[in-house]
Amino acid sequence: MLGDQRDQIRAIVSAFTTGEVWSIDTYWLEAYKVDNERLTIPNEEGSFRSALVGYGKFLQSLDVNPPFVWTAGMENLEGRFLYPSAPPGRMRIHTGPVGKGVTDVVSDSGLYFLGDSPAQTLKPFFAKLYNSCGVRRENWQDET
């Protein structure tokens, strides 16, 4: 919940008998604002990775066997600013944005096997996200 907006649900997960899991989380787009004015693109790669692993384990517990097809996406990105994190052991001196979203929706899909690196599995999606802001995603970001 955000502040006093206790009557709104910002995330939901549905599991279907077909072996599909759908997850929608709108919290991050609303929560990531600078001074409640400058809309930003959530830097939530860790959340995406954790969800991929968790949903994979959940499906396997239901005897649904990999490979799992995943689709990841974000929408409402046009005009939002990208603030990537600094490499491990470093800090960003310039704290402003490094890119700006020029498309509204970014998505990608692929296959996931339990035990695969979630960072490597989702790398194509995050590369597209950065590219949509005119920013090159660095390889060290797969390690954080």
Side-chain angles (χ1 to χ4, degrees):
M1 295 181 286
L2 292 176
D4 61 354
Q5 300 172 355
R6 298 183 188 285
D7 59 339
Q8 297 179 15
I9 296 173
R10 302 226 179 253
I12 189 166
V13 177
S14 299
F16 299 90
T17 58
T18 59
E20 293 179 80
V21 176
W22 294 5
S23 172
I24 299 171
D25 188 338
T26 63
Y27 169 79
W28 298 114
L29 287 176
E30 186 66 24
Y32 274 75
K33 289 183 179 179
V34 176
D35 300 326
N36 287 326
E37 293 177 11
R38 181 177 282 179
L39 298 175
T40 64
I41 295 174
N43 187 3
E44 286 300 320
E45 290 192 37
S47 296
F48 274 78
R49 293 174 190 162
S50 294
L52 179 68
V53 171
Y55 296 149
K57 289 179 180 178
F58 170 72
L59 287 170
Q60 191 173 43
S61 76
L62 298 175
D63 293 326
V64 178
N65 295 314
F68 303 118
V69 177
W70 60 268
T71 299
M74 286 187 189
E75 61 182 28
N76 193 21
L77 298 175
E78 188 172 356
R80 289 179 177 264
F81 293 93
L82 180 66
Y83 291 81
S85 57
R90 297 185 183 175
M91 63 181 274
R92 292 182 63 212
I93 301 288
H94 172 64
T95 59
V98 297
K100 187 175 183 180
V102 296
T103 59
D104 189 51
V105 178
V106 175
S107 66
D108 204 355
S109 60
L111 294 177
Y112 173 66
F113 290 87
L114 290 176
D116 285 356
S117 162
Q120 290 301 313
T121 300
L122 293 171
K123 184 175 183 172
F125 166 66
F126 287 108
K128 275 186 173 181
L129 179 64
Y130 274 65
N131 188 49
S132 76
C133 297
V135 177
R136 181 174 174 256
R137 188 174 175 281
E138 302 295 332
N139 287 332
W140 63 262
Q141 290 174 286
D142 297 333
E143 309 302 322
T144 60

